[in-house]
Amino acid sequence: MNAENGVLTGYDVFFKSPARIIYIALVIMVVLPFDMLPFGVSIAPWFALFLGLVYAMVFQCPYPKFNKKTSKYLLQASVVGLGFGMNLIESLKSGSDGMLFTVVSVVSVMALGVLIGRWLGINRKTSYLISSGTAICGGSAIAAVAPVLKADDNEMAVSLGVVFVLNAVGLFLFPPLGHLFDMSDTQFGTWAAIAIHDTSSVVGAGDAYGPEALRIATLIKLTRALWIIPLALFTMFIFRDRKDGGKGKISIPWFIFLFILAMVMNTYLPLPEWLTSTLVYISKKGLVLTLFLIGAGLSVKTVKAVGVKPFVLAVALWIIISVSSFFVVMATID
């Protein structure tokens, strides 16, 4: 603070605020290409999320709007970039095994979520949002369905808070469990795509397990995310407002179609290897940064807003889909 006129200077903002300094330093650290140095290793996705969570528990995020918007669009751009490392024909062949699982799990989780939520006495919209996030793709599904439901800020905060907490748990827990049960990359990628909520955590878990697991997990998860469109239309009908005919804005995940386009280009166009490998490398770095930003944006207040009953519903649905999909994957996929 300038002693003469009481004006907060740029020096005060950036060099006398530990939260800002540490935030900027961590952002730089997670994206630096340490793996290109002799004996260097890159920061793993799970560790980036861990850094973000630790930061959020100690400090309040100094740039909440920047953090939220950047994590959203950076995730989408990173997923699109990963498409340049995938062959469309091979990916579709690998992902076909998970298609039936996706259909069955989406329908069953939505039905169970609504029933269990009613039994627990949870707000109808809150239980529907949690079920949508668990059944399809976490925060993206909740964000797409909420405007149709006309959900308020509290219902959104509770639903997203549950999803973010379980996403963090899933990213840390699933890779060790996969190794414990000696799952192949195909088995783990399919399982992670079905049982983990958000695309970011699915991709992060797949990347931590292996390149083939990453490829399969990304494909199946994005195929699963397309269910946002019919779910939003169905929601518009079920929760329609008699006064305005149930009209609501539907958020379509357009980045999924760009991801498919990237796969098509990589499959059928003579793109140079250096270009595609560079795009994939940058995309993986973007994913690491995304996970840090998501962790840094998870405040203690958000965790407290979750409450007991919604958390019980979310954990119950998560256990059901995780355990059932695990046994189906182990029994049907080599």
Side-chain angles (χ1 to χ4, degrees):
M1 184 76 71
N2 189 300
E4 296 182 358
N5 53 30
V7 176
L8 191 65
T9 66
Y11 177 86
D12 293 313
V13 171
F14 288 101
F15 294 99
K16 291 187 178 181
S17 173
R20 286 183 169 86
I21 297 173
I22 296 174
Y23 179 90
I24 295 172
L26 289 174
V27 166
I28 295 173
M29 185 179 75
V30 298
V31 298
L32 284 177
F34 291 113
D35 51 322
M36 290 187 174
L37 300 175
F39 308 108
V41 293
S42 59
I43 293 180
W46 69 267
F47 189 67
L49 178 61
F50 174 74
L51 288 176
L53 290 172
V54 171
Y55 178 88
M57 296 301 106
V58 178
F59 303 102
Q60 183 176 358
C61 183
Y63 310 107
K65 291 183 178 180
F66 166 83
N67 199 85
K68 183 177 180 180
K69 288 186 176 181
T70 302
S71 63
K72 175 183 177 181
Y73 294 112
L74 184 59
L75 168 62
Q76 297 177 2
S78 299
V79 170
V80 172
L82 291 175
F84 287 100
M86 301 181 184
N87 182 280
L88 179 62
I89 298 174
E90 294 178 359
S91 296
L92 288 176
K93 183 179 178 181
S94 299
S96 60
D97 290 333
M99 192 65 67
L100 179 60
F101 299 156
T102 297
V103 175
V104 174
S105 62
V106 168
V107 175
S108 59
V109 168
M110 287 301 302
L112 284 172
V114 171
L115 292 175
I116 296 174
R118 181 178 299 178
W119 179 67
L120 290 173
I122 301 173
N123 175 284
R124 184 187 180 196
K125 292 183 179 180
T126 300
S127 63
Y128 194 89
L129 288 173
I130 292 174
S131 302
S132 301
T134 305
I136 301 180
C137 55
S140 299
I142 292 173
V145 172
V148 184
L149 285 176
K150 293 183 173 59
D152 58 32
D153 290 342
N154 182 62
E155 291 163 342
M156 283 282 290
V158 169
S159 305
L160 289 172
V162 167
V163 167
F164 287 155
V165 170
L166 294 184
N167 266 331
V169 174
L171 183 59
F172 293 129
L173 185 63
F174 272 57
L177 284 177
H179 289 299
L180 177 64
F181 292 102
D182 197 26
M183 301 181 77
S184 67
D185 277 23
T186 303
Q187 290 172 329
F188 182 83
T190 304
W191 183 47
I194 294 174
I196 300 179
H197 301 76
D198 265 355
T199 304
S200 57
S201 293
V202 170
V203 176
D207 186 47
Y209 203 79
E212 182 66 10
L214 170 62
R215 183 172 69 85
I216 293 172
T218 303
L219 177 68
I220 295 176
K221 191 62 180 180
L222 292 179
T223 302
R224 188 187 191 88
L226 289 173
W227 275 73
I228 286 177
I229 300 172
L231 177 64
L233 295 173
F234 176 78
T235 303
M236 184 183 297
F237 174 76
I238 295 297
F239 288 86
R240 64 188 183 280
D241 190 331
R242 299 296 182 181
K243 295 180 180 180
D244 61 10
K247 294 180 180 179
K249 181 180 179 182
I250 299 176
S251 178
I252 299 175
W254 296 107
F255 74 98
I256 294 176
F257 301 104
L258 294 178
F259 167 80
I260 296 172
L261 177 61
M263 293 177 63
V264 171
M265 292 175 63
N266 187 56
T267 303
Y268 297 105
L269 296 181
L271 300 177
E273 194 277 334
W274 67 265
L275 175 61
T276 56
S277 60
T278 300
L279 289 172
V280 171
Y281 180 82
I282 294 174
S283 298
K284 288 185 177 182
K285 285 293 182 182
L287 170 64
V288 172
L289 177 57
T290 298
L291 290 171
F292 168 77
L293 296 177
I294 290 174
L298 184 64
S299 66
V300 176
K301 182 179 179 181
T302 301
V303 176
K304 289 181 178 179
V306 168
V308 177
K309 288 185 177 180
F311 197 77
V312 169
L313 170 62
V315 172
L317 289 176
W318 195 42
I319 291 175
I320 291 171
I321 193 172
S322 298
V323 174
S324 61
S325 61
F326 172 81
F327 284 111
V328 172
V329 166
M330 293 298 286
T332 60
I333 298 178
D334 295 327

